[in-house]
Amino acid sequence: MKKKQELCLLPVLVAACLVSIMGGSPLPSPILIGPDKAYLNSKVVFQCRSPGSPPPNTYELLKDGNHLVATSNDLQDDQSAMFFLKISVTSEGSYHCRVTAGGNMGLSGTVRLQVVIPVSGTMVTSDPDPPILYEGLRLTLTCDVTKGSHLSYTWFYNRQEVTSSPTSPLTPLLLWPVGNTLVVERVTTKHAGNYSCIAGTRMQTNSRFSSSREITVRIKVYLSVPQISFTISKEGSSYHGNVTCRSSRGTPPVTFYLFLDDKEVGSDVATESLVAWFPVAIVPGRDMGAVRCAVESDAQRLTSRPLTLVVVPVGGAPKVDVEYLYRVDSKMASARLQCLLSLGTFPFFSWSLNGSLLLHPSEGDSSHPSHALADGGRTLFLTEITLEDSGYYRCRARDSYDVTSAWVESQPVLVQVTEVATTTIEVMAIVFCCFLMLTLAGGVACVMRMLNRQRDVVASSEQRARARAANERRFSEHFCIIPDPLSLSDITTRPLRSQYNRRDEIKPNFRPTSSSQKNPSM
């Protein structure tokens, strides 16, 4: 037992001996103050303080354990030491200081120092490169730097900062920056524009940034199927045709091709628009063949529907169709007159009221401000209904490409404009309610009539039954009522002996009279 107690006291004795050898109790922990980040090739200061330690003191700055960086002696009662370091690539690590005073030693906590390389050479790169792509494809932008570390990135679209905030005006564009990249999964025309970025290191003091140049992103639109049409003109005695090929959407430059009866007869490169024109030979009244046009880009080739090059001269008898238009309150608001023409590919229309011509917009201002032409003059609108607009209207037509062609004219049609209002909604509602009341009254009358008729039928049936019973009683008083004959099943099958088959059983009850003797056959 005594030996065990001696073993337990052995560590205490060893510690007491070490303290006595070192000359006293250990120093309080010193304090190391220094930066956590520093630029490469810059100068920094570490300060090691050891309050309460009497001089002389020895201060040592250690890195990553026991690697001695610098030493300082405090011969006065300053109780601190300053260490000046120039930052190199190898300066990054964990620093602490060790203070020795009178044989006693104290260690500080660690300070983690990161070496920051200043940013420079910031630029934006794209995938695809160059940043020209069709809608629906994926776009990736990267903010690259020539050198730099511990960087943060900020993106700009058309000089507006791109953020992840849902209240940002750029949120509908779905621009989500991740690190130094900006990815758009499916681009649209709204994503076209200028992009730039800023890379930098944020420090407590002396933050540094580097901005890139703007990069322009172009979004190309896929082509639509081209539409084909043609016109005709006359110069002197000859006619000229012009075929137009047009796409409603797409991104130039594109190339248009013209085919006549499946044979290429022309091509044109449109660099700023989506339309091309091709001259063709044409004669009115003659079939010049079928034309088609095609449009081609670096990603597509589309072909239009075929169009037959036939110009039919104006002919036949035009007809005027009148339609009155009403307001919400069922009052007449305007009228629409349409000139129906049976023949004519390129007609020119003219209208007259009571024999006076209404000018076409191409011929000058109309004398009737309430008249408006539409559909190339085919339709005449009476925009304001007045009594002055009443009268007989005619339309006439000729070939638009030949001013010397003959006119064809319709029969006059009377357009009667009155101030009498049509049936209003209120009147229609009253009429409907009256009709509904009459219908209900008629229905009730029919039901009552059916009930009365049913009661009359029941009373008549009872009366006939009473009369029949009375007749049967009177008949039974004067006549014998013969019951109904028995059925065959009720008749017995036992054989009966007939009184006429056996002469010995005939009783002499019959005595012939004189009349029967005279006539024995009876």
Side-chain angles (χ1 to χ4, degrees), residues 324-469:
Y324 295 99
L325 306 177
Y326 299 90
R327 297 198 300 260
V328 178
D329 56 357
S330 300
K331 292 183 180 181
M332 185 182 298
S334 60
R336 180 174 63 185
L337 285 69
Q338 194 169 19
C339 188
L340 305 179
L341 188 63
S342 58
L343 296 175
T345 305
F346 299 99
F348 177 83
F349 296 94
S350 177
W351 292 85
S352 64
L353 171 59
N354 296 328
S356 300
L357 289 178
L358 303 177
L359 294 180
H360 193 274
S362 63
E363 300 173 341
D365 296 333
S366 175
S367 58
H368 294 266
S370 61
H371 294 168
L373 295 176
D375 193 18
R378 186 187 302 270
T379 303
L380 173 65
F381 284 98
L382 306 182
T383 56
E384 296 181 4
I385 301 300
T386 62
L387 294 177
E388 296 179 357
D389 296 318
S390 300
Y392 290 91
Y393 284 82
R394 288 175 181 265
C395 77
R396 60 178 186 169
R398 63 168 174 82
D399 293 320
S400 61
Y401 54 86
D402 189 359
V403 295
T404 63
S405 59
W407 291 90
V408 291
E409 193 170 13
S410 69
Q411 294 295 324
V413 175
L414 176 62
V415 176
Q416 186 69 36
V417 180
T418 62
E419 298 296 336
V420 179
T422 58
T423 304
T424 61
I425 298 178
E426 291 79 5
V427 175
M428 295 175 62
I430 294 174
V431 172
F432 176 76
C433 291
C434 293
F435 175 75
L436 182 61
M437 294 296 294
L438 291 175
T439 303
L440 293 176
V444 172
C446 291
V447 172
M448 295 299 296
R449 184 175 180 183
M450 292 176 60
L451 294 176
N452 292 334
R453 184 175 181 183
Q454 186 174 4
R455 286 197 297 268
D456 294 341
V457 170
V458 172
S460 178
S461 300
E462 293 177 353
Q463 187 177 1
R464 285 197 299 271
R466 287 195 297 268
R468 181 178 179 183

Side-chain angles (χ1 to χ4, degrees), residues 38-40 89 115-120 147-151 201 208:
Y39 287 112
L40 183 66
V89 178
V115 177
V116 178
I117 301 175
V119 61
S120 63
K147 61 180 180 178
S149 64
H150 304 84
L151 300 175
T201 303
R208 297 185 183 182

Side-chain angles (χ1 to χ4, degrees), residues 225-382:
V225 176
Q227 303 295 320
I228 186 170
S229 61
F230 74 95
T231 58
I232 184 175
S233 60
K234 183 179 181 182
E235 296 181 3
S237 60
S238 60
Y239 296 92
H240 303 278
N242 188 44
V243 176
T244 302
C245 294
R246 184 190 307 271
S247 288
S248 59
R249 64 190 310 266
T251 302
V254 295
T255 303
F256 286 95
Y257 301 92
L258 181 67
F259 298 88
L260 177 61
D261 293 332
D262 295 330
K263 182 180 179 181
E264 183 179 337
V265 293
S267 63
D268 185 26
V269 178
T271 57
E272 298 181 356
S273 64
L274 296 173
V275 61
W277 296 271
F278 299 95
V280 293
I282 196 166
V283 177
R286 182 182 300 179
D287 188 351
M288 305 302 294
V291 292
R292 291 183 299 110
C293 68
V295 60
E296 184 179 30
S297 66
D298 56 353
Q300 289 176 285
R301 182 182 178 92
L302 301 174
T303 305
S304 71
R305 60 176 179 83
L307 178 65
T308 302
L309 286 178
V310 175
V311 177
V312 178
V314 172
K319 180 181 178 182
V320 176
D321 179 69
V322 181
E323 181 182 4
Y324 295 99
L325 306 177
Y326 299 90
R327 297 198 300 260
V328 178
D329 56 357
S330 300
K331 292 183 180 181
M332 185 182 298
S334 60
R336 180 174 63 185
L337 285 69
Q338 194 169 19
C339 188
L340 305 179
L341 188 63
S342 58
L343 296 175
T345 305
F346 299 99
F348 177 83
F349 296 94
S350 177
W351 292 85
S352 64
L353 171 59
N354 296 328
S356 300
L357 289 178
L358 303 177
L359 294 180
H360 193 274
S362 63
E363 300 173 341
D365 296 333
S366 175
S367 58
H368 294 266
S370 61
H371 294 168
L373 295 176
D375 193 18
R378 186 187 302 270
T379 303
L380 173 65
F381 284 98
L382 306 182

Side-chain angles (χ1 to χ4, degrees), residues 17 39 182 207 344 379 400 492:
C17 292
Y39 287 112
L182 183 66
S207 297
T379 303
S400 61
T492 181

